[in-house]
Amino acid sequence: MQPGPLNLITDVAGLRVGNASDPALKSGTTVLTADRPFTASVAIHGGAPGTRETALLAPDKSAPGVDALVLSGGSAFGLAAAQGVMDALHVQGRGFEVFSARVPIVPAAIIFDLLNGGEKRWTVNPYPDLGARALAAADRTFAIGTQGAGAGGQTAQHKGGLGSASLVLADGTTVGALVAVNPMGSVTTSSGRHFHAAPYEVNAEFGGLGPDPQPSLALLPSRKVGAMAQQGNTTIAIVATDAALDKAQCNRLAVAAHDGIARAILPAHSPMDGDLVFAASMGDRPLIEPGAQLAMIGHAASLCLSRAIARAVWEAEPEPYDTLPAIRRELGLV
């Protein structure tokens, strides 16, 4: 397995991603979409999720596909980003057809970034506009780090961010991950200088720092708790593939991909995190051996997600009024 040409989720043909963020707000929104509806499901393993329209992604629900998936900052306020995306898609004539009506299907999930040093005293909720702007910016190439839904993310020790990664399997199937990183836990080891995801790194994509030469089961006291609140957490992600999966198979893919969170963040899936993974299929490559292929796609998705989490933190940029350091600044590399 090797990364795709972009090492982004958009190596899955047909997918596009757009970001919109506000540096003063220290928050933003990320939208994944395509030119046609795509199959999707979800697995929620955190104890404190914030979501919109995730129930219809269950395999037994009737909605056949979605028009976009939204990751956003803003806690519950950020769920309104999906409304901005939905309204813009409606203008484009997109959506689930119900007789003469069309209803865009736009599930969403949010992170809590309300206590990160940004200006949050708005009079009009900024997230519908951020959602519409992110959709308008959707393209095959997009920036990671302090961008979109990850613009206000924080880990236990460092700034979080938006990350992405991809892999192309031996049979040609492409798998990718997109993630907004804002966990209670730490993405780095107890030394603060090495990533938990180091064993899965490809081509020094998050610094080539390697595994910690003195690994420890200890966790450093959380800077995040000292800077804000224990409750302000969550890692939300999308994994995607060009393999033809139905909703039940997408659900299994989302479940498998959660291993990527657990490998990259310690601790993960806590009562204070809303850890969630959407899984999406563009349906272009029929499965020949469904069981074996789905197992390998799930494995690849978990690897992509671990790498994307570390890339998000590595690419984070220092900004005014940050309450936590960007890791490259702390290591003296920027």
Side-chain angles (χ1 to χ4, degrees), residues 220-274:
L220 291 174
S222 174
R223 293 168 170 169
K224 184 177 183 179
V225 170
M228 44 176 288
Q230 191 173 11
Q231 310 300 330
N233 309 297
T234 293
T235 297
I236 51 177
I238 304 168
V239 295
T241 181
D242 54 1
L245 307 184
D246 61 23
K247 287 173 75 173
Q249 291 167 324
C250 280
N251 177 252
R252 293 310 310 170
L253 176 58
V255 169
H258 268 280
D259 290 352
I261 296 178
R263 291 169 180 155
I265 300 170
L266 269 65
H269 304 124
S270 79
M272 286 77 73
D273 286 285

mmCIF file of all heavy atoms in Angstrom, residues 220-274:
data_model
loop_
_atom_site.group_PDB
_atom_site.id
_atom_site.type_symbol
_atom_site.label_atom_id
_atom_site.label_comp_id
_atom_site.label_asym_id
_atom_site.label_seq_id
_atom_site.Cartn_x
_atom_site.Cartn_y
_atom_site.Cartn_z
ATOM 1 N N LEU A 220 1.319 12.686 30.243
ATOM 2 C CA LEU A 220 1.625 13.980 30.840
ATOM 3 C C LEU A 220 0.342 14.663 31.313
ATOM 4 O O LEU A 220 -0.730 14.446 30.721
ATOM 5 C CB LEU A 220 2.322 14.873 29.824
ATOM 6 C CG LEU A 220 3.748 14.483 29.421
ATOM 7 C CD1 LEU A 220 4.222 15.397 28.304
ATOM 8 C CD2 LEU A 220 4.689 14.557 30.611
ATOM 9 N N PRO A 221 0.399 15.484 32.346
ATOM 10 C CA PRO A 221 -0.784 16.278 32.719
ATOM 11 C C PRO A 221 -1.253 17.095 31.523
ATOM 12 O O PRO A 221 -0.450 17.662 30.784
ATOM 13 C CB PRO A 221 -0.257 17.172 33.845
ATOM 14 C CG PRO A 221 0.916 16.438 34.398
ATOM 15 C CD PRO A 221 1.545 15.726 33.239
ATOM 16 N N SER A 222 -2.537 17.148 31.343
ATOM 17 C CA SER A 222 -3.094 17.804 30.160
ATOM 18 C C SER A 222 -2.971 19.323 30.247
ATOM 19 O O SER A 222 -3.500 19.950 31.165
ATOM 20 C CB SER A 222 -4.566 17.427 29.990
ATOM 21 O OG SER A 222 -5.152 18.154 28.938
ATOM 22 N N ARG A 223 -2.285 19.911 29.277
ATOM 23 C CA ARG A 223 -2.268 21.367 29.174
ATOM 24 C C ARG A 223 -3.653 21.888 28.816
ATOM 25 O O ARG A 223 -4.037 22.994 29.200
ATOM 26 C CB ARG A 223 -1.299 21.803 28.081
ATOM 27 C CG ARG A 223 0.171 21.527 28.335
ATOM 28 C CD ARG A 223 0.939 21.759 27.034
ATOM 29 N NE ARG A 223 2.370 21.746 27.203
ATOM 30 C CZ ARG A 223 3.220 21.717 26.195
ATOM 31 N NH1 ARG A 223 2.767 21.698 24.950
ATOM 32 N NH2 ARG A 223 4.525 21.716 26.405
ATOM 33 N N LYS A 224 -4.374 21.106 28.054
ATOM 34 C CA LYS A 224 -5.696 21.544 27.594
ATOM 35 C C LYS A 224 -6.641 21.759 28.763
ATOM 36 O O LYS A 224 -7.382 22.743 28.807
ATOM 37 C CB LYS A 224 -6.269 20.505 26.623
ATOM 38 C CG LYS A 224 -7.600 20.883 25.988
ATOM 39 C CD LYS A 224 -8.010 19.809 24.985
ATOM 40 C CE LYS A 224 -9.282 20.169 24.268
ATOM 41 N NZ LYS A 224 -9.679 19.150 23.285
ATOM 42 N N VAL A 225 -6.626 20.842 29.717
ATOM 43 C CA VAL A 225 -7.496 20.994 30.884
ATOM 44 C C VAL A 225 -7.140 22.268 31.635
ATOM 45 O O VAL A 225 -8.016 23.017 32.075
ATOM 46 C CB VAL A 225 -7.388 19.761 31.808
ATOM 47 C CG1 VAL A 225 -8.094 20.018 33.134
ATOM 48 C CG2 VAL A 225 -7.999 18.545 31.123
ATOM 49 N N GLY A 226 -5.847 22.542 31.748
ATOM 50 C CA GLY A 226 -5.447 23.761 32.430
ATOM 51 C C GLY A 226 -5.825 25.013 31.669
ATOM 52 O O GLY A 226 -6.122 26.054 32.263
ATOM 53 N N ALA A 227 -5.834 24.929 30.342
ATOM 54 C CA ALA A 227 -6.108 26.104 29.523
ATOM 55 C C ALA A 227 -7.594 26.379 29.360
ATOM 56 O O ALA A 227 -8.005 27.512 29.141
ATOM 57 C CB ALA A 227 -5.489 25.929 28.139
ATOM 58 N N MET A 228 -8.437 25.318 29.437
ATOM 59 C CA MET A 228 -9.857 25.548 29.167
ATOM 60 C C MET A 228 -10.728 24.674 30.027
ATOM 61 O O MET A 228 -11.058 25.028 31.138
ATOM 62 C CB MET A 228 -10.165 25.374 27.674
ATOM 63 C CG MET A 228 -9.509 24.160 27.024
ATOM 64 S SD MET A 228 -9.998 23.953 25.308
ATOM 65 C CE MET A 228 -11.663 23.399 25.503
ATOM 66 N N ALA A 229 -11.097 23.485 29.558
ATOM 67 C CA ALA A 229 -12.032 22.656 30.304
ATOM 68 C C ALA A 229 -11.905 21.221 29.854
ATOM 69 O O ALA A 229 -11.619 20.938 28.701
ATOM 70 C CB ALA A 229 -13.477 23.126 30.082
ATOM 71 N N GLN A 230 -12.129 20.292 30.776
ATOM 72 C CA GLN A 230 -12.028 18.874 30.451
ATOM 73 C C GLN A 230 -13.096 18.457 29.449
ATOM 74 O O GLN A 230 -12.945 17.457 28.754
ATOM 75 C CB GLN A 230 -12.158 18.051 31.737
ATOM 76 C CG GLN A 230 -11.811 16.581 31.559
ATOM 77 C CD GLN A 230 -11.799 15.852 32.870
ATOM 78 O OE1 GLN A 230 -12.235 16.367 33.884
ATOM 79 N NE2 GLN A 230 -11.304 14.629 32.865
ATOM 80 N N GLN A 231 -14.186 19.203 29.355
ATOM 81 C CA GLN A 231 -15.303 18.786 28.521
ATOM 82 C C GLN A 231 -15.128 19.149 27.044
ATOM 83 O O GLN A 231 -15.898 18.704 26.213
ATOM 84 C CB GLN A 231 -16.601 19.435 29.028
ATOM 85 C CG GLN A 231 -16.845 19.275 30.525
ATOM 86 C CD GLN A 231 -16.934 17.833 30.956
ATOM 87 O OE1 GLN A 231 -17.350 16.979 30.195
ATOM 88 N NE2 GLN A 231 -16.533 17.542 32.188
ATOM 89 N N GLY A 232 -14.134 19.981 26.692
ATOM 90 C CA GLY A 232 -14.068 20.523 25.342
ATOM 91 C C GLY A 232 -13.289 19.654 24.387
ATOM 92 O O GLY A 232 -12.134 19.946 24.083
ATOM 93 N N ASN A 233 -13.884 18.599 23.884
ATOM 94 C CA ASN A 233 -13.143 17.590 23.145
ATOM 95 C C ASN A 233 -13.890 17.098 21.905
ATOM 96 O O ASN A 233 -14.936 17.615 21.562
ATOM 97 C CB ASN A 233 -12.849 16.401 24.068
ATOM 98 C CG ASN A 233 -12.210 16.839 25.376
ATOM 99 O OD1 ASN A 233 -11.126 17.383 25.386
ATOM 100 N ND2 ASN A 233 -12.917 16.646 26.480
ATOM 101 N N THR A 234 -13.306 16.081 21.258
ATOM 102 C CA THR A 234 -13.898 15.292 20.182
ATOM 103 C C THR A 234 -13.013 15.228 18.953
ATOM 104 O O THR A 234 -12.452 16.229 18.515
ATOM 105 C CB THR A 234 -15.284 15.786 19.750
ATOM 106 O OG1 THR A 234 -16.203 15.574 20.826
ATOM 107 C CG2 THR A 234 -15.820 15.038 18.546
ATOM 108 N N THR A 235 -12.879 14.034 18.407
ATOM 109 C CA THR A 235 -12.239 13.797 17.116
ATOM 110 C C THR A 235 -13.303 13.271 16.169
ATOM 111 O O THR A 235 -13.951 12.262 16.459
ATOM 112 C CB THR A 235 -11.082 12.788 17.254
ATOM 113 O OG1 THR A 235 -10.079 13.346 18.115
ATOM 114 C CG2 THR A 235 -10.474 12.460 15.906
ATOM 115 N N ILE A 236 -13.514 13.976 15.068
ATOM 116 C CA ILE A 236 -14.536 13.583 14.090
ATOM 117 C C ILE A 236 -13.866 13.382 12.744
ATOM 118 O O ILE A 236 -12.966 14.129 12.363
ATOM 119 C CB ILE A 236 -15.673 14.618 13.988
ATOM 120 C CG1 ILE A 236 -15.128 16.035 13.784
ATOM 121 C CG2 ILE A 236 -16.560 14.551 15.244
ATOM 122 C CD1 ILE A 236 -16.219 17.095 13.606
ATOM 123 N N ALA A 237 -14.288 12.344 12.026
ATOM 124 C CA ALA A 237 -13.562 11.952 10.823
ATOM 125 C C ALA A 237 -14.502 11.410 9.758
ATOM 126 O O ALA A 237 -15.646 11.020 10.040
ATOM 127 C CB ALA A 237 -12.517 10.893 11.170
ATOM 128 N N ILE A 238 -13.979 11.383 8.543
ATOM 129 C CA ILE A 238 -14.619 10.711 7.413
ATOM 130 C C ILE A 238 -13.574 9.804 6.788
ATOM 131 O O ILE A 238 -12.443 10.231 6.542
ATOM 132 C CB ILE A 238 -15.110 11.713 6.350
ATOM 133 C CG1 ILE A 238 -16.056 12.752 6.945
ATOM 134 C CG2 ILE A 238 -15.793 10.975 5.188
ATOM 135 C CD1 ILE A 238 -16.347 13.927 6.009
ATOM 136 N N VAL A 239 -13.923 8.544 6.551
ATOM 137 C CA VAL A 239 -13.097 7.679 5.718
ATOM 138 C C VAL A 239 -13.901 7.364 4.465
ATOM 139 O O VAL A 239 -15.130 7.302 4.498
ATOM 140 C CB VAL A 239 -12.671 6.392 6.447
ATOM 141 C CG1 VAL A 239 -11.762 6.737 7.623
ATOM 142 C CG2 VAL A 239 -13.863 5.570 6.914
ATOM 143 N N ALA A 240 -13.213 7.187 3.361
ATOM 144 C CA ALA A 240 -13.903 7.010 2.083
ATOM 145 C C ALA A 240 -13.135 6.052 1.200
ATOM 146 O O ALA A 240 -11.919 5.868 1.345
ATOM 147 C CB ALA A 240 -14.063 8.358 1.376
ATOM 148 N N THR A 241 -13.852 5.441 0.256
ATOM 149 C CA THR A 241 -13.249 4.515 -0.687
ATOM 150 C C THR A 241 -13.995 4.551 -2.010
ATOM 151 O O THR A 241 -15.172 4.951 -2.054
ATOM 152 C CB THR A 241 -13.253 3.077 -0.124
ATOM 153 O OG1 THR A 241 -12.639 2.195 -1.065
ATOM 154 C CG2 THR A 241 -14.673 2.594 0.155
ATOM 155 N N ASP A 242 -13.303 4.133 -3.077
ATOM 156 C CA ASP A 242 -13.981 3.980 -4.361
ATOM 157 C C ASP A 242 -14.594 2.607 -4.519
ATOM 158 O O ASP A 242 -15.276 2.324 -5.515
ATOM 159 C CB ASP A 242 -13.027 4.282 -5.526
ATOM 160 C CG ASP A 242 -11.751 3.465 -5.487
ATOM 161 O OD1 ASP A 242 -11.582 2.633 -4.579
ATOM 162 O OD2 ASP A 242 -10.893 3.661 -6.388
ATOM 163 N N ALA A 243 -14.376 1.704 -3.543
ATOM 164 C CA ALA A 243 -15.016 0.385 -3.579
ATOM 165 C C ALA A 243 -16.524 0.528 -3.440
ATOM 166 O O ALA A 243 -17.020 1.416 -2.739
ATOM 167 C CB ALA A 243 -14.463 -0.496 -2.468
ATOM 168 N N ALA A 244 -17.254 -0.358 -4.088
ATOM 169 C CA ALA A 244 -18.720 -0.314 -4.066
ATOM 170 C C ALA A 244 -19.236 -0.982 -2.795
ATOM 171 O O ALA A 244 -19.330 -2.207 -2.709
ATOM 172 C CB ALA A 244 -19.288 -1.005 -5.301
ATOM 173 N N LEU A 245 -19.557 -0.162 -1.789
ATOM 174 C CA LEU A 245 -20.061 -0.650 -0.511
ATOM 175 C C LEU A 245 -21.501 -0.206 -0.315
ATOM 176 O O LEU A 245 -21.857 0.916 -0.687
ATOM 177 C CB LEU A 245 -19.216 -0.111 0.648
ATOM 178 C CG LEU A 245 -17.701 -0.310 0.590
ATOM 179 C CD1 LEU A 245 -17.069 0.215 1.873
ATOM 180 C CD2 LEU A 245 -17.350 -1.770 0.370
ATOM 181 N N ASP A 246 -22.322 -1.072 0.295
ATOM 182 C CA ASP A 246 -23.658 -0.646 0.692
ATOM 183 C C ASP A 246 -23.594 -0.017 2.080
ATOM 184 O O ASP A 246 -22.510 0.100 2.675
ATOM 185 C CB ASP A 246 -24.652 -1.813 0.625
ATOM 186 C CG ASP A 246 -24.289 -2.976 1.552
ATOM 187 O OD1 ASP A 246 -23.558 -2.769 2.551
ATOM 188 O OD2 ASP A 246 -24.750 -4.109 1.276
ATOM 189 N N LYS A 247 -24.741 0.404 2.612
ATOM 190 C CA LYS A 247 -24.725 1.104 3.898
ATOM 191 C C LYS A 247 -24.223 0.221 5.029
ATOM 192 O O LYS A 247 -23.492 0.693 5.915
ATOM 193 C CB LYS A 247 -26.123 1.655 4.214
ATOM 194 C CG LYS A 247 -26.508 2.856 3.377
ATOM 195 C CD LYS A 247 -27.950 3.271 3.600
ATOM 196 C CE LYS A 247 -28.132 3.974 4.915
ATOM 197 N NZ LYS A 247 -29.507 4.524 5.056
ATOM 198 N N ALA A 248 -24.579 -1.061 5.011
ATOM 199 C CA ALA A 248 -24.108 -1.956 6.065
ATOM 200 C C ALA A 248 -22.598 -2.113 6.002
ATOM 201 O O ALA A 248 -21.915 -2.119 7.039
ATOM 202 C CB ALA A 248 -24.798 -3.313 5.939
ATOM 203 N N GLN A 249 -22.053 -2.235 4.794
ATOM 204 C CA GLN A 249 -20.600 -2.341 4.655
ATOM 205 C C GLN A 249 -19.902 -1.032 5.030
ATOM 206 O O GLN A 249 -18.820 -1.046 5.623
ATOM 207 C CB GLN A 249 -20.252 -2.760 3.227
ATOM 208 C CG GLN A 249 -20.666 -4.196 2.915
ATOM 209 C CD GLN A 249 -20.614 -4.494 1.430
ATOM 210 O OE1 GLN A 249 -20.925 -3.638 0.586
ATOM 211 N NE2 GLN A 249 -20.224 -5.713 1.087
ATOM 212 N N CYS A 250 -20.523 0.098 4.701
ATOM 213 C CA CYS A 250 -19.971 1.381 5.140
ATOM 214 C C CYS A 250 -19.951 1.470 6.662
ATOM 215 O O CYS A 250 -19.001 2.017 7.244
ATOM 216 C CB CYS A 250 -20.771 2.538 4.550
ATOM 217 S SG CYS A 250 -20.368 2.946 2.845
ATOM 218 N N ASN A 251 -20.980 0.934 7.304
ATOM 219 C CA ASN A 251 -20.997 0.935 8.762
ATOM 220 C C ASN A 251 -19.835 0.140 9.324
ATOM 221 O O ASN A 251 -19.148 0.574 10.259
ATOM 222 C CB ASN A 251 -22.320 0.381 9.272
ATOM 223 C CG ASN A 251 -22.373 0.288 10.783
ATOM 224 O OD1 ASN A 251 -22.317 -0.800 11.339
ATOM 225 N ND2 ASN A 251 -22.462 1.417 11.457
ATOM 226 N N ARG A 252 -19.571 -1.047 8.739
ATOM 227 C CA ARG A 252 -18.433 -1.845 9.196
ATOM 228 C C ARG A 252 -17.110 -1.122 8.937
ATOM 229 O O ARG A 252 -16.173 -1.202 9.734
ATOM 230 C CB ARG A 252 -18.412 -3.207 8.499
ATOM 231 C CG ARG A 252 -19.557 -4.135 8.843
ATOM 232 C CD ARG A 252 -19.782 -4.280 10.335
ATOM 233 N NE ARG A 252 -18.567 -4.595 11.075
ATOM 234 C CZ ARG A 252 -18.495 -4.567 12.404
ATOM 235 N NH1 ARG A 252 -19.539 -4.211 13.127
ATOM 236 N NH2 ARG A 252 -17.360 -4.887 13.005
ATOM 237 N N LEU A 253 -17.032 -0.409 7.828
ATOM 238 C CA LEU A 253 -15.829 0.364 7.529
ATOM 239 C C LEU A 253 -15.607 1.450 8.577
ATOM 240 O O LEU A 253 -14.478 1.663 9.046
ATOM 241 C CB LEU A 253 -15.949 0.978 6.134
ATOM 242 C CG LEU A 253 -14.819 1.906 5.680
ATOM 243 C CD1 LEU A 253 -13.476 1.191 5.721
ATOM 244 C CD2 LEU A 253 -15.106 2.456 4.290
ATOM 245 N N ALA A 254 -16.680 2.140 8.973
ATOM 246 C CA ALA A 254 -16.568 3.182 9.991
ATOM 247 C C ALA A 254 -16.125 2.596 11.328
ATOM 248 O O ALA A 254 -15.295 3.188 12.036
ATOM 249 C CB ALA A 254 -17.895 3.911 10.138
ATOM 250 N N VAL A 255 -16.662 1.428 11.680
ATOM 251 C CA VAL A 255 -16.267 0.768 12.926
ATOM 252 C C VAL A 255 -14.776 0.438 12.893
ATOM 253 O O VAL A 255 -14.031 0.716 13.847
ATOM 254 C CB VAL A 255 -17.108 -0.505 13.154
ATOM 255 C CG1 VAL A 255 -16.535 -1.341 14.293
ATOM 256 C CG2 VAL A 255 -18.563 -0.146 13.447
ATOM 257 N N ALA A 256 -14.316 -0.167 11.799
ATOM 258 C CA ALA A 256 -12.905 -0.537 11.689
ATOM 259 C C ALA A 256 -11.999 0.684 11.750
ATOM 260 O O ALA A 256 -10.918 0.646 12.349
ATOM 261 C CB ALA A 256 -12.669 -1.312 10.390
ATOM 262 N N ALA A 257 -12.434 1.776 11.137
ATOM 263 C CA ALA A 257 -11.601 2.975 11.091
ATOM 264 C C ALA A 257 -11.364 3.576 12.469
ATOM 265 O O ALA A 257 -10.357 4.271 12.684
ATOM 266 C CB ALA A 257 -12.229 4.003 10.162
ATOM 267 N N HIS A 258 -12.276 3.328 13.414
ATOM 268 C CA HIS A 258 -12.072 3.840 14.772
ATOM 269 C C HIS A 258 -10.769 3.332 15.391
ATOM 270 O O HIS A 258 -10.223 3.975 16.290
ATOM 271 C CB HIS A 258 -13.255 3.460 15.663
ATOM 272 C CG HIS A 258 -14.337 4.484 15.711
ATOM 273 N ND1 HIS A 258 -14.264 5.614 16.495
ATOM 274 C CD2 HIS A 258 -15.518 4.549 15.061
ATOM 275 C CE1 HIS A 258 -15.360 6.332 16.336
ATOM 276 N NE2 HIS A 258 -16.142 5.711 15.467
ATOM 277 N N ASP A 259 -10.262 2.174 14.912
ATOM 278 C CA ASP A 259 -8.965 1.709 15.409
ATOM 279 C C ASP A 259 -7.893 2.756 15.157
ATOM 280 O O ASP A 259 -6.925 2.861 15.931
ATOM 281 C CB ASP A 259 -8.572 0.404 14.716
ATOM 282 C CG ASP A 259 -9.422 -0.785 15.144
ATOM 283 O OD1 ASP A 259 -10.223 -0.631 16.090
ATOM 284 O OD2 ASP A 259 -9.276 -1.860 14.533
ATOM 285 N N GLY A 260 -8.035 3.518 14.080
ATOM 286 C CA GLY A 260 -7.054 4.555 13.772
ATOM 287 C C GLY A 260 -7.013 5.646 14.813
ATOM 288 O O GLY A 260 -5.940 6.210 15.098
ATOM 289 N N ILE A 261 -8.178 5.987 15.380
ATOM 290 C CA ILE A 261 -8.206 6.965 16.470
ATOM 291 C C ILE A 261 -7.488 6.407 17.690
ATOM 292 O O ILE A 261 -6.653 7.081 18.312
ATOM 293 C CB ILE A 261 -9.659 7.348 16.820
ATOM 294 C CG1 ILE A 261 -10.329 8.062 15.634
ATOM 295 C CG2 ILE A 261 -9.701 8.224 18.067
ATOM 296 C CD1 ILE A 261 -11.786 8.426 15.874
ATOM 297 N N ALA A 262 -7.772 5.138 18.029
ATOM 298 C CA ALA A 262 -7.183 4.541 19.225
ATOM 299 C C ALA A 262 -5.676 4.364 19.102
ATOM 300 O O ALA A 262 -4.966 4.374 20.115
ATOM 301 C CB ALA A 262 -7.847 3.196 19.498
ATOM 302 N N ARG A 263 -5.164 4.198 17.873
ATOM 303 C CA ARG A 263 -3.722 4.056 17.691
ATOM 304 C C ARG A 263 -2.987 5.393 17.733
ATOM 305 O O ARG A 263 -1.785 5.431 17.996
ATOM 306 C CB ARG A 263 -3.439 3.384 16.344
ATOM 307 C CG ARG A 263 -3.840 1.926 16.271
ATOM 308 C CD ARG A 263 -3.775 1.440 14.840
ATOM 309 N NE ARG A 263 -4.158 0.034 14.731
ATOM 310 C CZ ARG A 263 -4.652 -0.511 13.629
ATOM 311 N NH1 ARG A 263 -4.829 0.236 12.542
ATOM 312 N NH2 ARG A 263 -4.977 -1.788 13.606
ATOM 313 N N ALA A 264 -3.699 6.468 17.467
ATOM 314 C CA ALA A 264 -3.049 7.776 17.330
ATOM 315 C C ALA A 264 -3.270 8.703 18.513
ATOM 316 O O ALA A 264 -2.543 9.693 18.654
ATOM 317 C CB ALA A 264 -3.548 8.465 16.060
ATOM 318 N N ILE A 265 -4.279 8.424 19.349
ATOM 319 C CA ILE A 265 -4.639 9.312 20.454
ATOM 320 C C ILE A 265 -4.773 8.492 21.730
ATOM 321 O O ILE A 265 -5.485 7.474 21.747
ATOM 322 C CB ILE A 265 -5.973 10.041 20.177
ATOM 323 C CG1 ILE A 265 -5.869 10.884 18.896
ATOM 324 C CG2 ILE A 265 -6.379 10.905 21.356
ATOM 325 C CD1 ILE A 265 -7.207 11.433 18.418
ATOM 326 N N LEU A 266 -4.126 8.921 22.806
ATOM 327 C CA LEU A 266 -4.255 8.241 24.096
ATOM 328 C C LEU A 266 -4.642 9.261 25.157
ATOM 329 O O LEU A 266 -3.939 10.271 25.308
ATOM 330 C CB LEU A 266 -2.922 7.579 24.489
ATOM 331 C CG LEU A 266 -2.709 6.128 24.047
ATOM 332 C CD1 LEU A 266 -2.640 6.033 22.530
ATOM 333 C CD2 LEU A 266 -1.446 5.572 24.695
ATOM 334 N N PRO A 267 -5.719 9.016 25.915
ATOM 335 C CA PRO A 267 -6.723 7.983 25.676
ATOM 336 C C PRO A 267 -7.688 8.405 24.572
ATOM 337 O O PRO A 267 -7.787 9.594 24.242
ATOM 338 C CB PRO A 267 -7.452 7.890 27.030
ATOM 339 C CG PRO A 267 -7.338 9.279 27.592
ATOM 340 C CD PRO A 267 -5.988 9.781 27.146
ATOM 341 N N ALA A 268 -8.425 7.450 24.031
ATOM 342 C CA ALA A 268 -9.416 7.716 22.990
ATOM 343 C C ALA A 268 -10.786 7.221 23.440
ATOM 344 O O ALA A 268 -10.899 6.439 24.389
ATOM 345 C CB ALA A 268 -9.020 7.015 21.692
ATOM 346 N N HIS A 269 -11.829 7.709 22.781
ATOM 347 C CA HIS A 269 -13.205 7.243 23.020
ATOM 348 C C HIS A 269 -13.626 7.404 24.483
ATOM 349 O O HIS A 269 -14.297 6.557 25.052
ATOM 350 C CB HIS A 269 -13.356 5.770 22.594
ATOM 351 C CG HIS A 269 -12.977 5.524 21.168
ATOM 352 N ND1 HIS A 269 -12.013 4.606 20.792
ATOM 353 C CD2 HIS A 269 -13.407 6.088 20.014
ATOM 354 C CE1 HIS A 269 -11.884 4.609 19.477
ATOM 355 N NE2 HIS A 269 -12.725 5.498 18.986
ATOM 356 N N SER A 270 -13.229 8.523 25.071
ATOM 357 C CA SER A 270 -13.537 8.753 26.475
ATOM 358 C C SER A 270 -14.973 9.245 26.648
ATOM 359 O O SER A 270 -15.644 9.623 25.678
ATOM 360 C CB SER A 270 -12.583 9.805 27.049
ATOM 361 O OG SER A 270 -12.997 11.110 26.673
ATOM 362 N N PRO A 271 -15.460 9.290 27.891
ATOM 363 C CA PRO A 271 -16.798 9.847 28.129
ATOM 364 C C PRO A 271 -16.902 11.317 27.752
ATOM 365 O O PRO A 271 -18.008 11.821 27.522
ATOM 366 C CB PRO A 271 -16.989 9.661 29.640
ATOM 367 C CG PRO A 271 -16.084 8.542 30.014
ATOM 368 C CD PRO A 271 -14.893 8.689 29.119
ATOM 369 N N MET A 272 -15.750 12.018 27.684
ATOM 370 C CA MET A 272 -15.771 13.446 27.360
ATOM 371 C C MET A 272 -15.502 13.736 25.885
ATOM 372 O O MET A 272 -15.462 14.881 25.469
ATOM 373 C CB MET A 272 -14.741 14.203 28.213
ATOM 374 C CG MET A 272 -15.151 14.371 29.665
ATOM 375 S SD MET A 272 -14.934 12.854 30.640
ATOM 376 C CE MET A 272 -13.149 12.803 30.775
ATOM 377 N N ASP A 273 -15.273 12.698 25.092
ATOM 378 C CA ASP A 273 -15.058 12.856 23.652
ATOM 379 C C ASP A 273 -16.307 12.413 22.899
ATOM 380 O O ASP A 273 -17.004 11.480 23.313
ATOM 381 C CB ASP A 273 -13.888 11.987 23.190
ATOM 382 C CG ASP A 273 -12.539 12.536 23.604
ATOM 383 O OD1 ASP A 273 -12.099 13.513 22.983
ATOM 384 O OD2 ASP A 273 -11.920 11.971 24.534
ATOM 385 N N GLY A 274 -16.551 13.048 21.760
ATOM 386 C CA GLY A 274 -17.658 12.635 20.897
ATOM 387 C C GLY A 274 -17.166 11.899 19.675
ATOM 388 O O GLY A 274 -17.713 12.082 18.579
#
